[in-house]
Amino acid sequence: MIPLFERYRPRSFAEVVGQDKVVARIQALAKRGLGGRAFWLTGQSGTGKTTLARLLAAEVADDFMIREIDAGTLTVSALTELEQETALSGWGNKAGRAVIINESHGLRRDTIRQLLVTLERIPGHVLWIFTTTNEAQEALFEDYPDASPLLSRCLRLDLARRDLAKAFALRAQWIAQQEGLDGRPLDTYLRLVQKHRQNLRAVLQEVEAGAMLAE
């Protein structure tokens, strides 16, 4: 079965919870066009980085024109192939292409160096999106001097880290109710969110395991 956190992953910006400021900023930028840009999304685990990255990508490209890659597997040669591939317009209802690089703190030194060039010449129909956690980003900057120039080539979106508990608790409770897994008051969900340091994915894993069923 598909895990709850995937089954109920937001499919539109309107469904995203707890990240109102970032969503508003993306929607404002979208009015001017997102193609030809690179975005750098930073946030705690389970607060919406992957969701927002996919929604951003869907603004310019159809699903089959979106490439999602783990940073640790991205080599210079693979990056060169990606550049050649994305040079052509996409097809389908949208004419764009998007590349999502997850866990961007895992980028290799030589790949970072090549990305400095790649991101200077993004075609107007292409969108690059990088995601990483706050802590891992700091480590990346310490290890690789070229990481800072890489970030300067991207539009930075810092996800909210505070005041997420109630929004996440309400979302988790609603999902539990849809699945017949709810038997606890909202305060219990709030404590669960706090226990997992506002990681909604981890909260939903516990909900799926029956943690919110009445005893």
Side-chain angles (χ1 to χ4, degrees):
M1 291 182 63
I2 300 173
L4 287 185
F5 67 85
E6 281 293 352
R7 202 179 322 158
Y8 288 91
R9 187 184 292 277
R11 288 172 171 75
S12 70
F13 287 118
E15 295 179 6
V16 175
V17 296
Q19 300 296 344
D20 296 349
K21 289 183 179 180
V22 170
V23 168
R25 187 176 173 193
I26 290 172
Q27 291 177 324
L29 290 169
K31 293 177 181 178
R32 301 173 58 192
L34 297 171
R37 300 173 183 263
F39 285 84
W40 186 277
L41 275 63
T42 309
Q44 291 175 250
S45 295
T47 55
K49 294 186 302 298
T50 299
T51 293
L52 288 169
R54 291 176 181 175
L55 291 175
L56 256 173
E59 287 287 299
V60 302
D62 290 304
D63 287 348
F64 49 88
M65 290 289 106
I66 298 172
R67 293 284 303 275
E68 194 162 344
I69 302 166
D70 183 273
T73 67
L74 186 62
T75 62
V76 172
S77 60
L79 182 56
T80 300
E81 290 178 9
L82 269 175
E83 274 201 86
Q84 295 171 346
E85 177 184 316
T86 57
L88 301 173
S89 296
W91 58 86
N93 294 323
K94 301 166 187 173
R97 291 177 182 263
V99 181
I100 300 173
I101 308 297
N102 289 318
E103 309 296 337
S104 294
H105 50 273
L107 287 167
R108 297 154 45 125
R109 185 190 299 269
D110 55 347
T111 306
I112 290 175
R113 199 170 296 122
Q114 181 59 37
L115 276 166
L116 298 182
V117 178
T118 299
L119 299 185
E120 289 284 353
R121 56 192 186 202
I122 305 174
H125 63 276
V126 177
L127 181 63
W128 284 76
I129 308 164
F130 300 85
T131 72
T132 186
T133 61
N134 302 91
E135 297 78 6
Q137 175 182 274
E138 292 174 6
L140 176 67
F141 288 164
E142 290 178 4
D143 293 341
Y144 299 131
D146 286 337
S148 184
L150 171 61
L151 185 55
S152 73
R153 286 162 170 77
C154 304
L155 295 179
R156 181 170 176 171
L157 297 176
D158 295 316
L159 275 65
R161 304 178 66 177
R162 299 179 179 177
D163 302 321
L164 299 174
K166 187 173 182 180
F168 282 5
L170 285 167
R171 177 68 173 171
Q173 185 181 49
W174 179 82
I175 290 172
Q177 290 168 348
Q178 305 309 302
E179 296 291 321
L181 294 170
D182 173 56
R184 303 291 185 92
L186 182 61
D187 284 350
T188 310
Y189 287 89
L190 282 166
R191 289 194 293 271
L192 185 62
V193 171
Q194 290 162 354
K195 169 189 170 183
H196 287 290
R197 302 179 63 185
Q198 305 186 111
N199 183 328
L200 185 54
R201 180 176 56 249
V203 169
L204 292 179
Q205 293 279 47
E206 282 219 39
V207 169
E208 190 163 17
M212 292 294 105
L213 290 170
E215 294 181 349

